[in-house]
Amino acid sequence: IIITNTNLSTGTETSGRADNRAFDELRKMKIEAGVLERADGSAYLEIGGNKVLAAVYGPRELFVRRLMQPNKAVLRCKYNMAPFSVDDRKRPGPDRRSVEISKLASQALTPAVFLEKFPRSTIDVFIEVIEAEGGTRCAGITAASVALADAGIPMRDMVVACAAGKSDGKVILDLSEVEDKEGQADVPIAIMPRTGEITLLQMDGNLTEEEFEQALDLAINGCKIISEKQKAAIKNRYGDE
Ligand code: UDP
Protein backbone atom coordinates (compact mmCIF):
# COMPACT_ATOMS: atom_id res chain seq x y z
CA ILE A 1 0.00 0.00 0.00
CA ILE A 2 1.41 3.36 -0.95
CA ILE A 3 0.41 5.96 1.60
CA THR A 4 0.51 9.35 -0.02
CA ASN A 5 0.65 12.40 2.15
CA THR A 6 -1.13 14.73 -0.19
CA ASN A 7 -3.16 17.44 1.45
CA LEU A 8 -6.76 18.00 0.62
CA SER A 9 -7.39 19.60 -2.71
CA THR A 10 -8.60 23.16 -2.56
CA GLY A 11 -11.91 22.16 -4.04
CA THR A 12 -11.58 24.85 -6.69
CA GLU A 13 -11.72 22.45 -9.62
CA THR A 14 -15.21 21.21 -10.44
CA SER A 15 -15.44 17.70 -9.11
CA GLY A 16 -18.86 16.76 -10.39
CA ARG A 17 -19.85 15.69 -6.87
CA ALA A 18 -23.33 16.71 -5.75
CA ASP A 19 -21.99 18.88 -2.93
CA ASN A 20 -19.04 20.14 -5.03
CA ARG A 21 -16.44 18.45 -2.85
CA ALA A 22 -13.11 17.51 -4.41
CA PHE A 23 -12.58 13.78 -4.92
CA ASP A 24 -10.35 13.64 -1.84
CA GLU A 25 -12.34 15.98 0.39
CA LEU A 26 -14.14 14.97 3.57
CA ARG A 27 -17.52 16.36 4.50
CA LYS A 28 -17.53 19.12 7.15
CA MET A 29 -17.14 17.60 10.55
CA LYS A 30 -16.86 18.30 14.25
CA ILE A 31 -16.15 16.18 17.30
CA GLU A 32 -16.84 17.01 20.93
CA ALA A 33 -15.73 14.86 23.86
CA GLY A 34 -17.51 14.54 27.19
CA VAL A 35 -21.07 15.44 26.26
CA LEU A 36 -22.91 13.08 28.64
CA GLU A 37 -22.92 13.32 32.44
CA ARG A 38 -23.73 9.74 33.41
CA ALA A 39 -21.44 7.92 31.00
CA ASP A 40 -17.83 7.26 31.98
CA GLY A 41 -16.83 8.64 28.59
CA SER A 42 -18.74 10.13 25.68
CA ALA A 43 -18.45 11.93 22.38
CA TYR A 44 -20.64 13.67 19.83
CA LEU A 45 -19.66 13.66 16.18
CA GLU A 46 -21.08 15.30 13.08
CA ILE A 47 -19.87 14.61 9.56
CA GLY A 48 -21.99 15.93 6.72
CA GLY A 49 -25.56 15.04 7.65
CA ASN A 50 -24.56 12.39 10.18
CA LYS A 51 -25.07 13.08 13.86
CA VAL A 52 -23.75 10.38 16.17
CA LEU A 53 -23.44 10.00 19.94
CA ALA A 54 -21.11 7.50 21.59
CA ALA A 55 -21.23 6.54 25.26
CA VAL A 56 -18.81 4.31 27.17
CA TYR A 57 -19.55 2.57 30.47
CA GLY A 58 -16.84 0.69 32.32
CA PRO A 59 -14.61 -1.08 32.81
CA ARG A 60 -17.21 -2.70 35.06
CA GLU A 61 -17.96 -6.17 36.34
CA LEU A 62 -19.31 -8.56 33.73
CA PHE A 63 -22.06 -10.73 35.15
CA VAL A 64 -22.71 -12.80 32.03
CA ARG A 65 -20.52 -15.80 32.84
CA ARG A 66 -20.38 -17.23 29.33
CA LEU A 67 -18.93 -13.95 28.03
CA MET A 68 -16.50 -13.40 30.89
CA GLN A 69 -12.78 -13.71 30.13
CA PRO A 70 -10.66 -14.64 33.17
CA ASN A 71 -7.59 -12.74 31.94
CA LYS A 72 -9.02 -9.68 30.17
CA ALA A 73 -12.01 -7.45 29.64
CA VAL A 74 -14.45 -7.82 26.77
CA LEU A 75 -15.39 -4.80 24.70
CA ARG A 76 -19.05 -4.87 23.70
CA CYS A 77 -20.59 -2.47 21.19
CA LYS A 78 -24.18 -1.66 20.47
CA TYR A 79 -24.92 0.34 17.34
CA ASN A 80 -28.41 1.74 17.02
CA MET A 81 -30.17 4.04 14.59
CA ALA A 82 -32.92 6.26 15.98
CA PRO A 83 -36.31 5.74 14.27
CA PHE A 84 -36.18 9.38 13.13
CA SER A 85 -32.59 9.24 11.86
CA VAL A 86 -33.51 8.49 8.24
CA ASP A 87 -36.16 9.68 5.77
CA ASP A 88 -38.18 6.49 5.95
CA ARG A 89 -38.89 5.75 9.59
CA LYS A 90 -36.42 3.14 10.85
CA ARG A 91 -38.21 0.35 12.71
CA PRO A 92 -36.93 0.48 16.32
CA GLY A 93 -34.81 -2.34 17.68
CA PRO A 94 -31.96 -4.44 16.37
CA ASP A 95 -31.92 -5.75 12.81
CA ARG A 96 -29.36 -7.70 10.78
CA ARG A 97 -27.53 -4.54 9.76
CA SER A 98 -27.23 -3.10 13.28
CA VAL A 99 -26.11 -6.47 14.69
CA GLU A 100 -23.42 -6.66 12.01
CA ILE A 101 -22.25 -3.09 12.60
CA SER A 102 -22.18 -3.64 16.38
CA LYS A 103 -19.96 -6.69 15.89
CA LEU A 104 -17.56 -5.04 13.47
CA ALA A 105 -17.34 -1.88 15.59
CA SER A 106 -16.32 -4.02 18.54
CA GLN A 107 -13.75 -5.82 16.37
CA ALA A 108 -12.42 -2.52 15.02
CA LEU A 109 -11.94 -1.00 18.49
CA THR A 110 -10.73 -4.06 20.42
CA PRO A 111 -7.10 -4.15 19.15
CA ALA A 112 -6.50 -0.63 20.49
CA VAL A 113 -7.59 -1.25 24.09
CA PHE A 114 -5.38 -2.75 26.82
CA LEU A 115 -8.10 -5.23 27.76
CA GLU A 116 -5.69 -7.40 29.77
CA LYS A 117 -5.62 -4.69 32.45
CA PHE A 118 -9.23 -5.46 33.37
CA PRO A 119 -9.83 -9.20 33.79
CA ARG A 120 -13.42 -10.44 34.18
CA SER A 121 -14.74 -7.01 33.18
CA THR A 122 -16.69 -5.44 30.40
CA ILE A 123 -16.34 -2.15 28.60
CA ASP A 124 -19.68 -1.24 27.02
CA VAL A 125 -19.79 1.09 24.05
CA PHE A 126 -23.08 2.48 22.78
CA ILE A 127 -23.27 4.14 19.38
CA GLU A 128 -26.50 6.02 18.75
CA VAL A 129 -27.13 7.43 15.30
CA ILE A 130 -29.40 10.47 15.68
CA GLU A 131 -29.31 11.42 11.99
CA ALA A 132 -27.85 9.37 9.13
CA GLU A 133 -26.50 10.45 5.78
CA GLY A 134 -24.12 7.69 4.68
CA GLY A 135 -21.07 6.47 6.55
CA THR A 136 -22.57 5.99 9.99
CA ARG A 137 -20.47 2.92 10.87
CA CYS A 138 -17.29 4.96 10.35
CA ALA A 139 -18.71 7.96 12.21
CA GLY A 140 -19.75 5.64 15.04
CA ILE A 141 -16.35 3.96 15.38
CA THR A 142 -14.55 7.32 15.29
CA ALA A 143 -16.86 8.75 17.97
CA ALA A 144 -16.57 5.59 20.07
CA SER A 145 -12.75 5.89 20.16
CA VAL A 146 -13.03 9.44 21.46
CA ALA A 147 -15.53 8.27 24.08
CA LEU A 148 -13.13 5.49 25.15
CA ALA A 149 -10.30 8.02 25.49
CA ASP A 150 -12.67 10.35 27.37
CA ALA A 151 -13.42 7.49 29.77
CA GLY A 152 -9.69 7.27 30.51
CA ILE A 153 -9.44 3.73 29.20
CA PRO A 154 -5.81 2.89 28.41
CA MET A 155 -5.32 2.48 24.67
CA ARG A 156 -2.48 1.89 22.25
CA ASP A 157 -4.00 4.40 19.84
CA MET A 158 -7.32 6.05 18.97
CA VAL A 159 -8.94 4.01 16.20
CA VAL A 160 -10.29 6.17 13.41
CA ALA A 161 -12.60 5.20 10.57
CA CYS A 162 -13.45 6.60 7.17
CA ALA A 163 -14.74 5.29 3.85
CA ALA A 164 -13.80 5.79 0.24
CA GLY A 165 -15.48 4.30 -2.79
CA LYS A 166 -16.63 4.80 -6.32
CA SER A 167 -19.55 6.86 -7.50
CA ASP A 168 -20.32 8.18 -10.96
CA GLY A 169 -17.31 6.18 -12.17
CA LYS A 170 -14.83 8.08 -9.96
CA VAL A 171 -12.92 6.95 -6.90
CA ILE A 172 -13.78 9.39 -4.11
CA LEU A 173 -13.38 9.94 -0.37
CA ASP A 174 -16.18 9.87 2.19
CA LEU A 175 -19.32 8.99 0.22
CA SER A 176 -22.53 10.78 1.09
CA GLU A 177 -25.77 8.82 1.25
CA VAL A 178 -26.61 9.63 -2.39
CA GLU A 179 -23.10 8.73 -3.56
CA ASP A 180 -23.32 5.49 -1.59
CA LYS A 181 -26.75 4.56 -2.92
CA GLU A 182 -26.08 5.52 -6.55
CA GLY A 183 -22.43 4.51 -6.44
CA GLN A 184 -20.56 1.42 -7.55
CA ALA A 185 -18.55 0.68 -4.40
CA ASP A 186 -18.03 1.64 -0.77
CA VAL A 187 -14.90 0.70 1.22
CA PRO A 188 -15.15 1.59 4.91
CA ILE A 189 -11.92 1.13 6.87
CA ALA A 190 -10.69 1.73 10.40
CA ILE A 191 -7.03 2.13 11.30
CA MET A 192 -4.75 2.72 14.24
CA PRO A 193 -2.93 5.74 12.78
CA ARG A 194 0.26 5.38 14.81
CA THR A 195 1.10 2.00 13.28
CA GLY A 196 -1.15 2.07 10.23
CA GLU A 197 -2.69 -1.22 11.35
CA ILE A 198 -6.08 -1.78 9.71
CA THR A 199 -8.77 -2.95 12.15
CA LEU A 200 -11.76 -2.82 9.78
CA LEU A 201 -11.90 -3.34 6.05
CA GLN A 202 -15.14 -3.93 4.20
CA MET A 203 -16.11 -3.60 0.60
CA ASP A 204 -19.55 -3.32 -0.88
CA GLY A 205 -19.72 -3.30 -4.70
CA ASN A 206 -17.08 -3.73 -7.37
CA LEU A 207 -13.67 -2.14 -7.92
CA THR A 208 -10.70 -3.05 -10.06
CA GLU A 209 -7.50 -3.79 -8.17
CA GLU A 210 -6.15 -0.36 -9.10
CA GLU A 211 -9.34 1.40 -7.99
CA PHE A 212 -9.26 -0.53 -4.75
CA GLU A 213 -5.70 0.66 -4.06
CA GLN A 214 -6.78 4.23 -4.84
CA ALA A 215 -9.79 3.97 -2.54
CA LEU A 216 -7.65 2.53 0.25
CA ASP A 217 -5.08 5.33 -0.06
CA LEU A 218 -7.87 7.93 -0.02
CA ALA A 219 -9.52 6.35 3.03
CA ILE A 220 -6.21 6.14 4.91
CA ASN A 221 -5.54 9.82 4.22
CA GLY A 222 -9.10 10.64 5.34
CA CYS A 223 -8.49 8.71 8.56
CA LYS A 224 -5.33 10.71 9.24
CA ILE A 225 -7.21 14.01 8.92
CA ILE A 226 -10.03 12.79 11.17
CA SER A 227 -7.47 11.49 13.66
CA GLU A 228 -6.25 15.06 14.24
CA LYS A 229 -9.85 16.12 15.00
CA GLN A 230 -10.18 13.29 17.52
CA LYS A 231 -7.03 14.43 19.30
CA ALA A 232 -8.24 18.05 19.25
CA ALA A 233 -11.56 16.97 20.82
CA ILE A 234 -9.75 15.28 23.72
CA LYS A 235 -7.37 18.22 24.09
CA ASN A 236 -10.31 20.65 24.15
CA ARG A 237 -11.87 18.73 26.98
CA TYR A 238 -8.81 18.13 29.12
CA GLY A 239 -6.26 20.60 27.78
CA ASP A 240 -6.83 23.27 30.45
CA GLU A 241 -6.90 20.90 33.43
N1 UDP B 1 -29.92 4.04 5.66
C1 UDP B 1 -31.29 4.24 5.69
N2 UDP B 1 -32.06 3.32 6.34
C2 UDP B 1 -31.54 2.21 6.95
C3 UDP B 1 -30.16 2.02 6.90
C4 UDP B 1 -29.38 2.95 6.25
O1 UDP B 1 -31.77 5.24 5.16
O2 UDP B 1 -32.29 1.41 7.53
C5 UDP B 1 -29.08 5.05 5.00
C6 UDP B 1 -28.29 5.87 6.03
O3 UDP B 1 -28.18 7.22 5.60
C7 UDP B 1 -26.94 5.21 5.99
C8 UDP B 1 -26.84 4.88 4.51
O4 UDP B 1 -28.13 4.44 4.15
O5 UDP B 1 -25.93 6.07 6.45
C9 UDP B 1 -25.80 3.84 4.15
O6 UDP B 1 -26.02 2.69 4.88
P1 UDP B 1 -24.95 1.54 5.02
O7 UDP B 1 -25.67 0.30 5.39
O8 UDP B 1 -24.05 1.54 3.84
O9 UDP B 1 -24.09 1.96 6.33
P2 UDP B 1 -23.25 3.26 6.65
O10 UDP B 1 -22.74 3.84 5.35
O11 UDP B 1 -24.19 4.20 7.36
O12 UDP B 1 -22.16 2.79 7.53
Side-chain angles (χ1 to χ4, degrees), residues 12-134:
T12 44
E13 70 266 38
T14 41
S15 63
R17 295 181 78 169
D19 54 8
N20 259 330
R21 271 186 294 151
F23 77 98
D24 60 352
E25 193 176 349
L26 292 165
R27 286 170 287 182
K28 280 207 169 52
M29 71 176 302
K30 68 170 186 186
I31 312 178
E32 196 182 336
V35 293
L36 301 173
E37 285 302 318
R38 291 208 183 98
D40 295 309
S42 60
Y44 173 71
L45 183 150
E46 286 182 12
I47 180 161
N50 294 301
K51 294 187 169 72
V52 178
L53 259 178
V56 168
Y57 296 83
R60 59 187 181 184
E61 198 174 344
L62 176 56
F63 295 104
V64 190
R65 291 193 68 134
R66 73 189 156 79
L67 296 178
M68 191 198 285
Q69 301 280 326
N71 54 349
K72 61 176 183 182
V74 294
L75 189 150
R76 299 188 293 183
C77 277
K78 192 155 185 267
Y79 165 101
N80 181 56
M81 271 173 97
F84 50 80
S85 64
V86 287
D87 278 342
D88 305 326
R89 178 179 178 274
K90 151 87 176 61
R91 193 163 175 255
D95 52 22
R96 283 171 63 123
R97 177 177 171 275
S98 67
V99 170
E100 179 213 330
I101 296 178
S102 299
K103 186 161 186 283
L104 63 85
S106 158
Q107 287 171 346
L109 295 165
T110 292
V113 182
F114 288 105
L115 294 173
E116 54 285 1
K117 287 194 186 292
F118 309 104
R120 308 161 75 84
S121 310
T122 179
I123 297 167
D124 293 319
V125 179
F126 297 90
I127 296 167
E128 291 289 325
V129 179
I130 318 290
E131 279 184 7
E133 196 241 334

Side-chain angles (χ1 to χ4, degrees), residues 13-23 25 27 133 167-168 170 172-183:
E13 70 266 38
T14 41
S15 63
R17 295 181 78 169
D19 54 8
N20 259 330
R21 271 186 294 151
F23 77 98
E25 193 176 349
R27 286 170 287 182
E133 196 241 334
S167 193
D168 206 10
K170 295 188 204 89
I172 52 173
L173 178 64
D174 187 29
L175 280 69
S176 66
E177 186 181 73
V178 181
E179 288 171 332
D180 183 10
K181 290 207 165 130
E182 292 174 2

Side-chain angles (χ1 to χ4, degrees), residues 51 57 102 148 150 175 208 213 227 229:
K51 294 187 169 72
Y57 296 83
S102 299
L148 284 165
D150 182 49
L175 280 69
T208 65
E213 292 285 340
S227 166
K229 306 218 181 232

